[in-house]
Amino acid sequence: MSRKPRGLRPDERELWQRVAAQSVPMHPERTHPVKQAVERINGKPAKPRVQDFRIGQGARVAPPSHDLAPHITDHLRNAPVQMDRKAYGKMKRGKLGIEARIDLHGMTMARAHPALNGFIQSSYAQGKRLVLVITGKGKREATGTGPMPEHRGVLRRQVPHWLTSGPLAAMVLQITPAHLKHGGDGAYYVYLRRTR
């Protein structure tokens, strides 16, 4: 158990006051914290009060949240136009004639990929120009509770990648989301290159 510190006896206090009266400050230009406290207590003017502020007012604007994969339809709509602009405008409005279509909706990726490859290669070999690839929009309910975001419509996100890589890249000129009457965001217009 710690002992309570004893106070100064009257003779010790008198000695301390004599020593303090004879002492000279080493740095008289410095203000002493005890002296400052005494001045505040004795009614000297306090420092000016801090100006009003709002939390975060000096903070830099937060960067946008990380969306590692932009929405595929936005990416395709902003892609440069490779085909004839007039035909592209008609295609986007759903006014260009579709020569063939494939419905991948409900297929697994393992089934859909070879089916898409065969369909595009066959259409290209037959000299067709505009085909419709239906993927569906994906499940409506949110799935998964993990830390990684899960996007709706695995096929809808994967099909443009398949069309622009591997052997199909040499056959495809333009991909764009279909008009509402042909499936909207759940389908793609695929404009094929001319056969040589």
Side-chain angles (χ1 to χ4, degrees), residues 18 27 43 50 56 69 88 105 163 180:
R18 273 190 280 153
H27 304 287
V50 177
Y88 179 73
H105 184 243
L163 291 168
L180 282 174

Side-chain angles (χ1 to χ4, degrees), residues 18 68 75 84 89 103 111 127 135-136 143 150 152 156 160 166 172 175 177-178:
R18 273 190 280 153
L68 301 178
H75 176 71
D84 176 66
D103 190 349
R111 270 189 62 213
T135 61
T143 58
E150 289 188 25
R152 278 179 46 198
R156 183 170 59 131
V172 174
I175 309 163

Side-chain angles (χ1 to χ4, degrees), residues 19-34:
V19 170
Q22 294 173 1
S23 63
V24 178
M26 288 176 65
H27 304 287
E29 69 279 356
R30 292 186 190 166
T31 53
H32 195 276
V34 174

Side-chain angles (χ1 to χ4, degrees), residues 116 120 133 158-165 168-170 172 175 188 190:
L116 179 68
I120 295 294
V133 177
Q158 193 63 38
V159 162
H161 173 68
W162 289 337
L163 291 168
T164 55
S165 59
L168 301 185
V172 174
I175 309 163
Y188 294 111
V190 181

Side-chain angles (χ1 to χ4, degrees), residues 112-133:
H113 194 188
L116 179 68
N117 280 351
F119 171 73
I120 295 294
Q121 289 170 351
S122 168
S123 298
Y124 178 75
Q126 294 168 22
K128 294 177 179 169
R129 299 302 305 276
L130 180 62
V131 297
L132 181 70
V133 177

Side-chain angles (χ1 to χ4, degrees), residues 31 44-45 54 64 79 83 111-112 122-123 127 137 145 174:
T31 53
K44 294 256 180 167
R54 188 174 41 83
M83 58 188 282
R111 270 189 62 213
S122 168
S123 298
K137 294 183 181 178
T145 56
Q174 191 85 44

